[in-house]
Amino acid sequence: MMAWAITAFDALLVALLLWLAWQAIHADGLFRAVISFMVFGLLMAVAWVRLDAPDVALAEAAIGAGVTGALLLSALGRLPERDKEAPADRRARGLAAVGLAALALGGATALATIAWALPAPGLGREVTEALPKSGVDNPVTAVLLNIRAFDTLLEIGVLLLAVIATWALGPMQWSAPARVMSPALPVLGRLLFPMFVLVSAYVLWRGGHAPGGAFPAGALMGAGGVLVFFAGAKPWITGAELDPWRWLLSLGLVAMLVAAVGVGATGRSFFEYPVDLAGLFILALEVAAALSIAILLFALCLGGRPPHRWGSEDEA
Amino acid sequence: MTALAWVGASLVALGVPFFLLGTLGLLRFPDVFTRLHALAKADNVGLGLVCFGLGLHSGSLAHALKLALIWLLMVIASAVGAGLVARAAIARGVKPWGV
């Protein structure tokens, strides 16, 4: 009975995910598409939980549904009105959609049949063997910040590049003071921000021995910053060249590079931490990466180079 | 199952209809204000019952407190969100149904 119910739940989840993915691409009107994408992110997090990957679920919920949703919605707010409307040729698109869906279903079934026959992939055994030397008890954190730290270095590098590119495109569009719809929103921001800091620190600390870590913690903190910003608060970070907060943007990348190359001074190879200090290395890198990720995601949500000084438009 | 787990499971079962009815209201009510009214029941009472039930079912004080915190945050966010949506609707000149 129980196994049957769980299988039915999984099937429902898969069907909903496929339908939402379709909606996110083909919904009439961009607003519906964005909302579908956000719900897709939330259900994807549930799917990761069902796959016993709570770490990925945390990151997916915070980044996929939270930060990306805020990013898409704020982009939508800047589009001219006519771009948001539904295209006219709905019937033709509907027919094409049915044909494509049939094709996709056939392809997916074929792929699933092939995947079933393949040997189970994974390096789970190797990771478990290396875990005692990695400095943490959580295998996901061990992979992200020790065994495959190089990948994480590149991921943070990509985020930094994205922010640099966004800032290079021009100043952000910002009208001062931000128009706030409801007096409850600033109160909510003030109430919740300490909670965001607390939960981020908790998620970061948990990363050493349980699901958590730098990416979810940073995304949560960034989302908290975005909420407070939309509630009318002035950000600390500015577009001024000597703004100390700008160092936080590159802190994660710089810290990881220093750790990766620094161990070379004692004759070790790239990212080869001393085994007895590995836990300390990982903790320091996680804090640096989380702070960086938080402020990088926040900077991305601004949608352009922030003004030199918050408070007046003309200086932007 | 212990008696506490049974009570917890029944509370969860009691909370589910609020979500169903809230969703029904969201789909069937005539305007944005009445829809918000229906949603608030699912968010506040439905989630409250589910969280309370799960807290009892878990039999652990730490888990129960975390679930209570989730419910509290959800109630605050839901109230502010509903207020924002309603204010945005009024600002756009949406007339309440039947007025």
Side-chain angles (χ1 to χ4, degrees):
Chain A
M1 163 61 203
M2 212 55 194
W4 173 83
I6 288 172
T7 311
F9 177 77
D10 287 348
L12 185 70
L13 193 61
V14 169
L16 272 174
L17 276 171
L18 284 173
W19 184 72
L20 281 166
W22 180 261
Q23 284 290 307
I25 301 170
H26 290 280
D28 290 332
L30 287 178
F31 183 71
R32 293 187 89 138
V34 169
I35 299 297
S36 300
F37 180 76
M38 290 171 76
V39 181
F40 175 83
L42 278 177
L43 287 188
M44 200 64 213
V46 178
W48 284 119
V49 171
R50 289 288 309 129
L51 290 169
D52 281 330
D55 297 80
V56 193
L58 266 174
E60 176 66 40
I63 298 178
V67 178
T68 321
L71 204 61
L72 288 172
L73 279 180
S74 63
L76 199 61
R78 287 173 194 152
L79 283 181
E81 203 57 41
R82 61 182 168 79
D83 288 358
K84 297 179 201 169
E85 283 161 14
D89 53 342
R90 283 177 62 180
R91 183 174 293 268
R93 279 197 350 165
L95 277 175
V98 171
L100 272 177
L103 205 67
L105 195 67
T109 316
L111 272 179
T113 323
I114 296 169
W116 203 259
L118 290 174
L123 297 166
R125 202 170 50 84
E126 284 82 347
V127 171
T128 317
E129 276 169 13
L131 201 57
K133 288 193 289 177
S134 72
V136 283
D137 303 327
N138 179 16
V140 177
T141 307
V143 170
L144 285 181
L145 282 150
N146 192 340
I147 302 170
R148 295 295 303 171
F150 184 59
D151 293 359
T152 309
L153 173 82
L154 293 182
E155 276 168 27
I156 296 183
V158 165
L159 261 181
L160 181 61
L161 273 179
V163 170
I164 291 173
T166 317
W167 284 26
L169 284 174
M172 61 174 290
Q173 292 165 11
W174 183 68
S175 46
R179 194 165 59 94
V180 176
M181 277 288 186
S182 155
L185 192 56
V187 176
L188 177 76
R190 274 198 294 275
L191 261 179
L192 285 192
F193 194 69
M195 199 70 93
F196 271 104
V197 176
L198 183 72
V199 175
S200 303
Y202 171 69
V203 170
L204 187 66
W205 178 250
R206 262 176 67 95
H209 54 89
F215 265 92
L220 265 173
M221 188 85 125
V226 172
L227 178 78
V228 178
F229 173 66
F230 285 143
K234 284 180 190 168
W236 295 320
I237 191 162
T238 68
E241 271 166 38
L242 291 173
D243 176 26
W245 291 100
R246 285 174 65 161
W247 286 99
L248 269 186
L249 288 172
S250 54
L251 176 70
L253 189 72
V254 170
M256 291 199 78
L257 274 179
V258 166
V261 179
V263 288
T266 56
R268 293 162 203 278
S269 69
F270 199 61
F271 267 126
E272 188 192 346
Y273 312 140
V275 171
D276 45 337
L277 290 178
L280 211 60
F281 264 82
I282 290 178
L283 184 65
L285 288 184
E286 284 227 88
V287 172
L291 284 173
S292 240
I293 289 165
I295 206 134
L296 281 166
L297 291 174
F298 178 76
L300 267 183
C301 283
L302 293 179
R305 184 162 40 80
H308 281 216
R309 202 161 57 81
W310 293 95
S312 56
E313 273 173 278
D314 46 52
E315 287 166 272
Chain B
M1 282 206 290
T2 63
L4 207 61
W6 273 110
V7 176
S10 353
L11 282 176
V12 172
L14 204 62
V16 170
F18 282 92
F19 280 100
L20 280 176
L21 292 172
T23 312
L24 189 69
L26 178 71
L27 292 172
R28 296 299 301 155
F29 274 169
D31 73 345
V32 62
F33 305 105
T34 46
R35 285 174 184 173
L36 284 174
H37 167 77
L39 264 190
K41 304 298 161 294
D43 280 354
N44 302 345
V45 188
L47 188 70
L49 284 170
V50 169
C51 283
F52 193 42
L54 287 178
L56 288 183
H57 194 274
S58 72
S60 135
L61 187 63
H63 283 171
L65 286 177
K66 275 181 208 166
L67 285 161
L69 183 65
I70 288 172
W71 178 67
L72 187 71
L73 289 173
M74 189 63 199
V75 168
I76 299 173
S78 149
V80 175
L84 275 174
V85 172
R87 276 168 182 269
I90 289 175
R92 284 189 173 195
V94 178
K95 287 267 189 301
W97 179 70
V99 176

